[in-house]
């Protein structure tokens, strides 16, 4: 009897499980808020729909990984890059909430820190130009959308 190797993709299975778990958590957390009645949408409708889509997407990715993966091992995790993205989120929260710096500085700093993930080491002044311009563009876009278009009550500067 010839033995057949089943090919599986560990990366797809892991990411599918993560997406599915996050989606399920959103659905479970939103259920108590209610779906609304008649012509009024309740607070739970959008998070349940979004969480359900994420759950189904995760399920599809995991099944695909089980059925036709690349049989390769999961590569080394880029801890430094994940740390930079996490630091960008923490910086945004601290600048907005704790230091009350305003939308412009918080968005710029967070976008700049996250943009550092795209450049290769060693850092040079020339390589920093791209994340600086990207951060400036994202900041302008956020001000246009959240402050002017949506007219949210946000301080632009502390």
């Amino acid at each position: 009897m010839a033995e057949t190797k089943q090919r599986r993709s560990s990366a797809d299975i892991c990411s599918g499980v993560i997406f599915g778990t996050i989606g399920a958590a959103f659905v479970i957390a939103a259920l108590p808020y209610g779906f609304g009645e008649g012509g009024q949408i309740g607070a739970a409708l959008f998070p349940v729909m979004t969480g359900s889509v994420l759950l189904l997407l995760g399920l599809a990715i995991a099944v695909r990984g089980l059925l036709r993966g690349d049989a390769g091992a999961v590569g080394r995790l880029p801890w430094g890059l994940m740390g930079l993205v996490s630091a960008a989120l923490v910086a945004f929260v601290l600048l907005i909430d704790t230091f009350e710096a305003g939308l412009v500085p918080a968005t710029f700093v967070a976008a700049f820190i996250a943009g550092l993930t795209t450049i290769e080491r060693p850092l040079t002044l020339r390589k920093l130009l791209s994340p600086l311009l990207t951060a400036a563009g994202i900041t302008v876009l956020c001000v246009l959308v959240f402050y002017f278009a949506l007219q949210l009550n946000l301080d632009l500067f502390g």
Side-chain angles (χ1 to χ4, degrees):
M1 261 186 156
E3 220 177 284
T4 59
K5 277 189 173 181
Q6 186 159 5
R7 297 175 54 166
R8 294 190 171 143
S9 172
S10 306
D12 281 348
I13 295 168
C14 288
S15 58
V17 168
I18 290 170
F19 284 157
T21 303
I22 292 170
F26 268 88
V27 169
I28 291 168
L31 284 176
Y33 292 105
F35 292 99
E37 298 175 356
Q40 289 189 320
I41 295 175
L45 185 63
F46 185 73
V48 167
M49 287 176 29
T50 307
S52 298
V53 168
L54 192 58
L55 177 63
L56 291 173
L57 181 66
L59 184 64
I61 291 171
V63 167
R64 189 186 100 187
L66 284 170
L67 296 179
R68 57 181 187 110
D70 59 6
V74 176
R76 209 175 118 224
L77 290 175
W79 291 107
L81 300 179
M82 293 190 314
L84 278 173
V85 171
S86 298
L89 292 171
V90 169
F92 183 82
V93 169
L94 287 175
L95 287 170
I96 285 286
D97 194 39
T98 306
F99 298 113
E100 297 178 358
L103 180 66
V104 172
T107 304
F108 183 83
V109 168
F112 176 72
I113 293 172
L116 291 176
T117 61
T118 64
I119 57 179
E120 295 180 17
R121 308 302 182 257
L123 294 177
T124 62
L125 211 49
R126 186 175 190 156
K127 290 180 182 177
L128 291 176
L129 186 60
S130 176
L132 281 170
L133 292 175
T134 302
I138 289 172
T139 303
V140 168
L141 184 65
C142 285
V143 169
L144 290 173
V145 169
F146 295 113
Y147 189 76
F148 291 110
L150 297 175
Q151 296 180 349
L152 295 180
N153 187 17
L154 299 170
D155 293 331
L156 291 181
F157 296 94

